[in-house]
Amino acid sequence: MTRTLLALDLSTAHGSIAVVRGDDVLFRSSFQSERSHNAQVFAPLRDALAAAGDELTGIVIGNGPGSYTGVRIAIAAAQGIALSRNVWCVGWSSLTAPDIEAPNSYPIIGDARRQSFYLARVDNGRLLPDLETVSAETARERTADGQTWLTFDPKPPLALTDIRSAKPSAIRLARIIQSLSQAELDALIQQPLIPHYLAEAFITMPKRPALTSQHPSP
């Protein structure tokens, strides 16, 4: 079965949208936004839906890791379209879809904030589950292994020189989902559409109000 897929990745400052049907790319668009994709995503998204027409089968979003706000915007847009068009929507790791030529298997490094870095590996379009969050010292040691590492950060982390920079490609996301068997796709559709968190959310608890006397001063 040939699927017509709308793919959307807003996990970095580089937004990417595409419509892919089989081997054909019906629509592609990219844009740069350093602050928010809100103002720029909806015009190309409208054009993408027009290109898909009535043959839209499903929607795939890059669920990060990356910009929490960007991924949430992508999720909200995908869910709204899915409801209105009566199609499914799924998430897939943005790290599996670089916009550059890369081997089938490659390691990745990225800034995990709070002076830590994540190390991960992609194998045949799938993010392996052993993603680690490590210190800067460990990241330097691990990336000095002679392999070609990729990063999806705007600049190579830790000023490392042997790192290839890439951005998520909506076209590659769509093609990965196109390659899944129907059984794999059915299982993926059942999974919740949530951002890829590198760590538990940091929540600041409100301070307790100061205790005051029940009786006002005269």
Side-chain angles (χ1 to χ4, degrees):
M1 175 183 175
T2 300
R3 304 171 183 135
T4 300
L5 301 183
L6 167 65
L8 174 64
D9 193 289
L10 305 180
S11 64
T12 71
H14 175 86
S16 181
I17 300 175
V19 176
V20 176
R21 179 186 299 145
D23 294 330
D24 298 326
V25 178
L26 306 183
F27 177 86
R28 71 178 76 193
S29 179
S30 61
F31 50 89
Q32 193 76 13
S33 175
E34 297 299 334
R35 293 184 177 273
S36 173
H37 291 299
N38 269 331
Q40 299 186 54
V41 67
F42 292 105
L45 192 55
R46 181 179 61 246
D47 294 339
L49 289 171
D54 296 330
E55 298 183 16
L56 184 64
T57 307
I59 306 166
V60 54
I61 67 148
N63 63 359
S67 165
Y68 174 82
T69 300
V71 175
R72 294 297 297 179
I73 292 171
I75 289 174
Q79 290 177 329
I81 295 167
L83 285 171
S84 66
R85 296 291 185 100
N86 193 30
V87 298
W88 47 261
C89 58
V90 298
W92 197 264
S93 175
S94 303
L95 301 180
T96 65
D99 64 345
I100 61 174
E101 289 294 327
N104 290 334
S105 179
Y106 52 88
I108 312 163
I109 180 174
D111 188 352
R113 306 292 185 254
R114 304 179 198 168
Q115 300 181 336
S116 63
F117 299 84
Y118 68 82
L119 307 179
R121 177 172 287 275
V122 167
D123 185 37
N124 290 320
R126 298 170 187 269
L127 180 66
L128 300 186
D130 53 348
L131 184 148
E132 300 177 79
T133 302
V134 301
S135 66
E137 181 180 2
T138 299
R140 286 193 178 94
E141 292 173 354
R142 295 279 293 278
T143 54
D145 59 358
Q147 297 186 78
T148 299
W149 286 69
L150 266 61
T151 186
F152 284 63
D153 292 353
K155 297 180 180 179
L158 299 170
L160 296 169
T161 56
D162 296 328
I163 305 291
R164 295 183 68 196
S165 295
K167 297 182 286 291
S169 163
I171 294 174
R172 291 197 70 168
L173 275 175
R175 286 183 168 153
I176 290 171
I177 300 304
Q178 291 275 28
S179 70
L180 298 181
S181 69
Q182 190 60 50
E184 290 175 310
L185 180 59
D186 290 342
L188 186 61
I189 291 170
Q190 300 305 314
Q191 297 180 18
L193 196 59
I194 59 175
H196 181 167
Y197 297 104
L198 291 173
E200 295 294 330
F202 180 76
I203 301 174
T204 302
M205 299 300 293
K207 295 181 179 179
R208 296 180 62 183
L211 296 177
T212 57
S213 172
Q214 296 181 356
H215 303 286
S217 301

